[in-house]
Amino acid sequence: MITNFLFFLITISFCFSNFDNEKLIYEINFKKFNAGEARFETKIDTLTNQAVYKITSTTKTNKFLDKFYKIRDLINLWVDYEDLSLLKAKKNIKQGNYKRKHDIAINYKESKAIFNNKEININSKVYDPISAIFFYRTLDFSKIQDYSFTSFENGKLKDISIKVYKTEIIKNSLGKFECYVLRPFSKDGKPIFKNKGQMTIWISKNEKLPIKIEQNTSVGKLTMNLKNIFIEKN
């Protein structure tokens, strides 16, 4: 949960970003081999007559990695236009032998989340792990070195803290970026992701882009490296 003081710090450090018609394309690497592609596509949509962001995330491994750990993920998120908190989600997850479909709806007025027709009580704004990445991009990490929020994933609420561990220079095909290195962790000490997966995120200081995302899986480390950016003009 976000304390009142910490919430105040986040609010004054919030730097609004416009993600409309943005497409981020990543190369997936597994043990130094090219293993597929992932995309984040964002556009303005409407939900209950309100303007929201719709974030579409697709992840697809290539034939090489399919032999070891096949991934075919399609995730659609509808998030608050201002703070990127979760409002609705449809997920079709296929990762190795794990296959699930999830429908999620958040009703903040009634303090409830609906997960696959099951009601779950909530008492704060909640973030999907993907919408959290976009929220990180709005924060001024020169003023905030760590903060806490509530994650909602697989029908479970978790109190998550994220910490800036260091800054690091990342070079890729798009150039050289000075990045904040972030790592989320669960306050209760339990793994955030299945298979005890740990995630690390590199957010560029100036461009506020998720340049690199790294996650441990049951079969090894998957790394997403940003390779293309497209912003469509209206």
Side-chain angles (χ1 to χ4, degrees), residues 80 83-88 105-113 122-127 150:
D80 186 272
D83 64 15
L84 289 306
S85 57
L86 184 63
L87 300 172
K88 178 182 174 181
I106 308 295
N107 188 328
Y108 289 112
K109 290 183 178 179
E110 296 184 5
S111 299
K112 290 182 179 180
I122 59 175
N123 57 14
S124 69
K125 293 288 185 77
V126 297
Y127 290 82
T150 301

Side-chain angles (χ1 to χ4, degrees), residues 168-172 175-179 202 211-212 225:
E168 186 173 295
I169 300 295
I170 298 294
K171 296 180 181 179
N172 61 20
K176 183 169 70 172
F177 302 89
E178 185 177 8
C179 298
W202 286 257
I211 299 295
K212 180 179 175 182
N225 291 299

Side-chain angles (χ1 to χ4, degrees), residues 43-58:
K43 65 179 183 179
I44 295 176
D45 201 355
T46 57
L47 186 66
T48 60
N49 297 318
Q50 299 293 322
V52 299
Y53 277 121
K54 181 182 179 183
I55 303 172
T56 299
S57 170
T58 56

